[in-house]
Structures are given as C-alpha cells and as structure tokens.
Amino acid sequence: RDGANPAERLVTTLRVATDSRRLADEYGILLKNLLEFRGIATTDITAACICSVVPPLTGMFEDLCRRFFGVTPLLVTSQIDLGMPVRYDNPRDVGADRIVDAVAAVELYGAPMIVVDLGTATVFDAVSRDREYLGGAIAPGINLSADALYYNTSQLRRVELVAPAEAVGRNTTTSLQSGIVLGYAGLVEAMVGRFKAEIGEDARVVGTGGLVTVISDHVPVFDDINQELTLVGLDIIYRKNAAGLPSSGASAGMSRAG
C-alpha cells in the first residue's frame, strides 16, 4: 500500500465465483481462508468498499464485512461522492462497476477516456474531456455468445477462445474461433471508432475484464490494459468518502459481477 500512485496500493487480488445461494458464513470462511493463504489476517482489514451488480448478494456482503472484518463497508452508488459527475439519463441505472472503472481510468490515464470491459458482458464507457461520465454501450460477453451457439445449435461445439491463423476458417473449430474472437475484435474496434468520433479522437482507450486478453492482441485500439481497474477505482472512491480513516492496515475492495 506504499506509493502515491493508487495502482501501487493493490496488495492482492482474489477471484471467487458468484453464487447467490451461498450465505454470508460460507463466503466469509472462503475469503478468510484465501486471505490467510496470501498472508493477510482478517484483523488486517480496517476498511471495505463494495461495488455490486448482483442485488441478492449486496446485503450479504455488507453483513459479511461487519461480521468477519468488523467494519461497515462503503457501498458504491450514484449517491456518494464519486469525484465524477454522472450524465446518464438516470444515474441510478448505471452499473456501479462501470462508474468505478471510469473513475479509476481517468485518475490513472486522464480524459477523454473510453473503457472497454470484457467480462460477462462487453461494456463500453465514455468519459468526456471535462471528466464527466457520459454513458456507453453494452453487448453480450464473449462467453455468453459462445454459449448461445453451443446451447442453441445441434452441431456447433465449444472451442478454445483463441484467434485462428486466418479469418477464413477451414473447419468448424477455426470458423467458430474466427467468428467469436476476431468478430469481437471487430466489434471493439468499430465501437471505439464511433465513441472517438463523438467524444474526441484523442480519447485514450483502456481495456479491462477477465476476457480482455482474448482479443487485445488482435485489435489495435488499446492504449493500456489494466485488469485491476475496478479494485483501483474502489480504493479511489473509498478515500474520497472516508479520508479521515487511519492509513494503517489494508482496505478490502469487493466487486461483484453478474
């Protein structure tokens, strides 16, 4: 947690599957064991910030923070100080993760900014030159699209998400890989081009999300790749809203994706 750059404060990252059937005790024991495996005791956690887009789990994680870490978490919503005006028609409709990513990207890389998050959904977010969150676009994620083909057709199968050597597939496997991987690369390139035409050709483009590396080598639009963007954003937003807290110990950032 040393250093002035928010990105230097990240100590560890844990990735756990979302399961709305799990209880606070189950997640609590799981997180406790994972943290201790990384050399972090629950008593080391002095603050927590939650970014949730899975409403059934939001209250559960708030309860978990109180019971296992002894802290009351900050829940990211449009009603707290985000350090960035939200110009969405209804700010309450924006996923908290989108705002958190935008805050981190602008803090780290400047504005205007385009964030491309490739996860469960493929999400594009735009921040103006005046550092205002404008909105964006949402498309099905790469895995969702691949699963749709697998479950809704009789002869198409699951394939490894890697780009084929050529766009013209010579068999079913490379045809699927071309359509999925190179197809999404084309989607990203086209949408970034449209966004730049609207917010500025000098806008920086940052890629994030668990699937960004699937296409990052096949689309020449990314200025930076930062898969920890959400956690960095949680830290930034927490500090804007709780500047008077002790600086010792560590803060826990939790992001729940759909």
Side-chain angles (χ1 to χ4, degrees):
R1 298 186 59 77
D2 295 329
N5 188 331
E8 296 174 0
R9 300 181 185 138
L10 187 60
V11 174
T12 191
T13 301
L14 305 174
R15 297 184 184 275
V16 179
T18 298
D19 186 347
S20 59
R21 297 170 297 178
R22 278 183 175 168
L23 304 177
D25 287 343
E26 295 177 274
Y27 268 117
I29 293 298
L30 178 61
L31 291 178
K32 179 178 182 294
N33 289 338
L34 288 173
L35 287 170
E36 289 179 350
F37 180 75
R38 300 289 179 87
I40 302 171
T42 54
T43 52
D44 292 334
I45 305 299
T46 61
C49 187
I50 296 176
C51 162
S52 174
V53 292
V54 185
L57 287 179
T58 304
M60 186 277 294
F61 271 97
E62 290 181 290
D63 181 47
L64 180 155
C65 288
R66 296 187 188 96
R67 292 171 54 195
F68 283 83
F69 301 140
V71 299
T72 298
L74 173 70
L75 182 64
V76 176
T77 70
S78 60
Q79 280 70 57
I80 67 172
D81 179 12
L82 301 170
M84 175 181 292
V86 178
R87 302 306 184 199
Y88 221 55
D89 288 344
N90 183 353
R92 294 174 184 268
D93 287 346
V94 187
D97 55 336
R98 298 174 66 184
I99 300 298
V100 171
D101 284 351
V103 167
V106 170
E107 182 77 14
L108 294 175
Y109 307 109
M113 168 60 62
I114 300 168
V115 179
V116 184
D117 186 348
L118 289 105
T120 305
T122 299
V123 182
F124 303 82
D125 293 297
V127 180
S128 73
R129 198 174 306 277
D130 295 328
R131 299 191 170 214
E132 301 172 314
Y133 178 84
L134 301 176
I138 304 173
I142 296 175
N143 278 334
L144 281 178
S145 294
D147 286 345
L149 285 173
Y150 173 72
Y151 286 117
N152 293 288
T153 60
S154 58
Q155 295 186 335
L156 299 182
R157 53 187 175 270
R158 293 185 188 277
V159 296
E160 185 181 4
L161 293 179
V162 296
E166 300 173 327
V168 179
R170 302 306 176 97
N171 54 59
T172 301
T173 296
T174 55
S175 294
L176 284 167
Q177 290 172 329
S178 178
I180 295 169
V181 177
L182 299 184
Y184 266 85
L187 166 68
V188 169
E189 187 169 8
M191 290 301 294
V192 166
R194 289 176 178 269
F195 274 43
K196 283 190 172 185
E198 295 182 20
I199 71 170
E201 293 294 336
D202 61 334
R204 292 184 65 83
V205 182
V206 177
T208 190
L211 296 172
V212 67
T213 55
V214 172
I215 69 162
S216 58
D217 289 338
H218 310 289
V219 55
V221 300
F222 294 115
D223 296 300
D224 295 279
I225 301 293
N226 189 334
Q227 291 182 299
E228 314 299 346
L229 204 60
T230 305
L231 294 177
V232 173
L234 286 171
D235 184 61
I236 293 169
I237 290 173
Y238 187 87
R239 291 170 187 277
K240 289 181 181 295
N241 289 271
L245 288 178
S247 59
S248 61
S251 64
M254 299 182 183
S255 170
R256 303 305 309 162

